[in-house]
Amino acid sequence: MSRPVRVLFVCLGNICRSPLAEGVFRDKVRAAGLDGIIDIDSAGTGAWHVGNPPDRRMMATAKRQGVDISALRARQFVDTDLADFDHILAMDKSNLHDILFLDAGDDFGHRVTLFRQWDPEPGDYEVPDPYYGGDAGFEHVYEIVDRTAEALLKGLAAHYELAGD
Ligand code: 4NP
């Protein structure tokens, strides 16, 4: 590819799951020497938290694992994202449905998948929404996101034959 591969993580609020995925994946991409070769963003299907930083519980969990997501700000998923990103990774089936609903011409379905389709232990294919639960839920989300992001990076690197340094 002569241009970056563009990856978008999508959840409901863009304050818990997808910003964590963005931060974790960004660190892995950088560590692999693929900065500027893979572009990364995240968005939420809902608008409630637009402009806000990630949930403080998600930021704390990430920080304990050495991942800083404090500079991220929530934005809403828009239909033009369907054309702008090569891989749109939904955190749960409801997000997947809401994203595909915006594909009015049925043109971009091949770009939209569940994030956990990359998970070596995919379970029910959903990253559970931790927002209304306790701290354990955020730790669980981190474990899922970390191993799935690792597999995603390996998969994209193989598919696009990306060489880091
Ligand atoms: P996220 O979590 O989709 O992982 O960012 C949520 C954040 C906020 C809400 C729901 C889920 N909410 O209803 O405000």
Side-chain angles (χ1 to χ4, degrees):
M1 296 269 281
S2 54
R3 62 167 182 83
V5 179
R6 303 203 67 202
V7 176
L8 181 67
F9 300 100
V10 182
C11 63
L12 178 59
N14 195 211
I15 57 168
C16 297
R17 294 165 292 176
S18 63
L20 181 73
E22 177 181 350
V24 166
F25 191 61
R26 192 181 295 284
D27 282 3
K28 291 183 188 299
V29 163
R30 188 173 301 129
L34 293 171
D35 246 355
I37 296 174
I38 300 178
D39 277 357
I40 308 155
D41 196 6
S42 67
T45 57
W48 307 283
H49 301 283
V50 167
N52 291 348
D55 185 289
R56 61 188 159 69
R57 299 164 294 174
M58 195 76 265
M59 283 199 281
T61 297
K63 195 174 174 191
R64 271 195 296 280
Q65 303 286 348
V67 179
D68 181 2
I69 58 170
S70 62
L72 300 181
R73 295 293 177 268
R75 76 165 177 91
Q76 189 171 21
F77 183 87
V78 286
D79 58 4
T80 50
D81 288 325
L82 288 159
D84 287 346
F85 288 87
D86 302 298
H87 297 275
I88 299 169
L89 298 158
M91 293 293 130
D92 65 31
K93 294 169 190 173
S94 160
N95 309 146
L96 183 77
H97 174 272
D98 291 344
I99 293 164
L100 292 174
F101 187 77
L102 292 175
D103 183 11
D106 297 334
D107 297 318
F108 300 108
H110 58 290
R111 301 178 175 201
V112 187
T113 59
L114 287 165
F115 175 59
R116 285 192 80 184
Q117 288 179 233
W118 293 93
D119 189 347
E121 303 165 50
D124 64 359
Y125 296 103
E126 304 200 274
V127 183
D129 182 349
Y131 189 65
Y132 292 107
D135 287 346
F138 288 85
E139 299 295 333
H140 186 218
V141 165
Y142 178 84
E143 284 169 26
I144 293 169
V145 164
D146 185 55
R147 68 170 184 259
T148 305
E150 188 74 32
L152 172 65
L153 179 54
K154 285 203 172 77
L156 293 183
H159 178 77
Y160 292 103
E161 299 182 344
L162 305 177
D165 47 43

